[in-house]
Structures are given as structure tokens and as C-alpha cells.
């Protein structure tokens, strides 16, 4: 089995999330930290915050929250097979497709709903008075 490239005690959270393939690029990981989509042990994390083994990292990517536990802090990106040695995924299962399909969505660029459409949406949601 191949060796993991780093034996660091703690690493930057943006570097680690990129190395374990939660983000495609390190700049995406840093931008997610700046916008508050990355939390370490329940608190919002800046990109330079250090993570160590045992820390819980919550990452919101594309509207889906991933909850991972740091098993081994690494700085270099590794193959997908070796990622399993570096983290433990505690993420909840994704919602079923039937539930996602039942949520009404407006077409992108359709603008604000008209008064009639708004009333129909309120009836559908059970908010009509």
C-alpha cells in the first residue's frame, strides 16, 4: 500500500479539505471558509485554522452538508483510495429523489411570481388565509 505524503500534527483546514477531495481546488476551499461554509468543531473556520486528528469538520458544498472526522491530517492531495485512511465520513444520507422532485421550483430567470402565482403557491403550501 502506498504511503501518505505527510505526517503533520496539524494542517490548515483549507489545505486538508482540498487534500481529502471535499473541494476540487484549494482556492475553492479557501473561498468556502471565507463565506462561512466550513465549520470546525462547531465554530466557523477561517482558511488558516489548524485541524488535527479527532476534529469534526462540517462542509457545505452545493447545498449538501458533509460531516467528516479528521483521522489523519495531510497537506498533499492523495488518491481517492487513500482518502478513506484520512477521514471518517459521518454525513447523513442524501434525501430521496422523490422528496427533491416534490419541491416546487421556479424556472431560473422567470422573475418574481405574479400575484396569482403567489396565491397558488400559498394554497399549495397551506398558507392561504
Amino acid at each position: 500500500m502506498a504511503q501518505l505524503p505527510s505526517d503533520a500534527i496539524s494542517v490548515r483546514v483549507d489545505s486538508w479539505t482540498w487534500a481529502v477531495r471535499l473541494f476540487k481546488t484549494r482556492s475553492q476551499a479557501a473561498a468556502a471558509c471565507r463565506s462561512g461554509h466550513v465549520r470546525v468543531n462547531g465554530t466557523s473556520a477561517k482558511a488558516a485554522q489548524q485541524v488535527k486528528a479527532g476534529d469534526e469538520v462540517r462542509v457545505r458544498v452545493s447545498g449538501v452538508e458533509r460531516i467528516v472526522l479528521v483521522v489523519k491530517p495531510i497537506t498533499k492531495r492523495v488518491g481517492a483510495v487513500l482518502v478513506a485512511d484520512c477521514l471518517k465520513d459521518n454525513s447523513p444520507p442524501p434525501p430521496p429523489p422523490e422528496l427533491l422532485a416534490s419541491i416546487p421550483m421556479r424556472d431560473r430567470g422567470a422573475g418574481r411570481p405574479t400575484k396569482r402565482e403567489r396565491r397558488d403557491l400559498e394554497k399549495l403550501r397551506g398558507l392561504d388565509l
Side-chain angles (χ1 to χ4, degrees), residues 59 70 85 94 97:
V59 178
V70 179
D85 299 335

Side-chain angles (χ1 to χ4, degrees), residues 12-18 23 26-40 43-49 57-60:
R12 290 172 56 113
V13 69
D14 64 337
S15 177
W16 186 80
T17 55
W18 165 75
F23 293 101
R26 185 163 171 197
S27 61
Q28 282 180 344
C33 291
R34 277 193 304 274
S35 20
H37 297 295
V38 178
R39 299 175 72 79
V40 176
T43 60
S44 189
K46 293 185 178 180
Q49 181 172 340
V57 179
R58 291 176 177 255
V59 178
R60 190 153 187 85

Side-chain angles (χ1 to χ4, degrees), residues 1-5 78-87:
M1 188 165 137
Q3 292 290 337
L4 295 175
V78 294
V81 175
L82 298 177
V83 168
D85 299 335
C86 301
L87 63 86

Side-chain angles (χ1 to χ4, degrees), residues 14-111:
D14 64 337
S15 177
W16 186 80
T17 55
W18 165 75
V20 295
R21 299 171 176 261
L22 294 176
F23 293 101
K24 285 188 177 184
T25 65
R26 185 163 171 197
S27 61
Q28 282 180 344
C33 291
R34 277 193 304 274
S35 20
H37 297 295
V38 178
R39 299 175 72 79
V40 176
N41 296 326
T43 60
S44 189
K46 293 185 178 180
Q49 181 172 340
Q50 300 289 314
V51 293
K52 59 188 182 312
D55 285 346
E56 180 190 68
V57 179
R58 291 176 177 255
V59 178
R60 190 153 187 85
V61 182
S62 303
V64 177
E65 186 173 39
R66 300 272 316 264
I67 304 169
V68 294
L69 187 69
V70 179
V71 174
K72 181 172 179 96
I74 60 171
T75 56
K76 300 287 185 185
R77 195 163 170 103
V78 294
V81 175
L82 298 177
V83 168
D85 299 335
C86 301
L87 63 86
K88 181 180 177 196
D89 196 355
N90 295 331
S91 302
E98 298 85 30
L99 180 66
L100 291 177
S102 68
I103 300 171
M105 299 292 288
R106 288 183 56 80
D107 293 331
R108 187 166 175 85

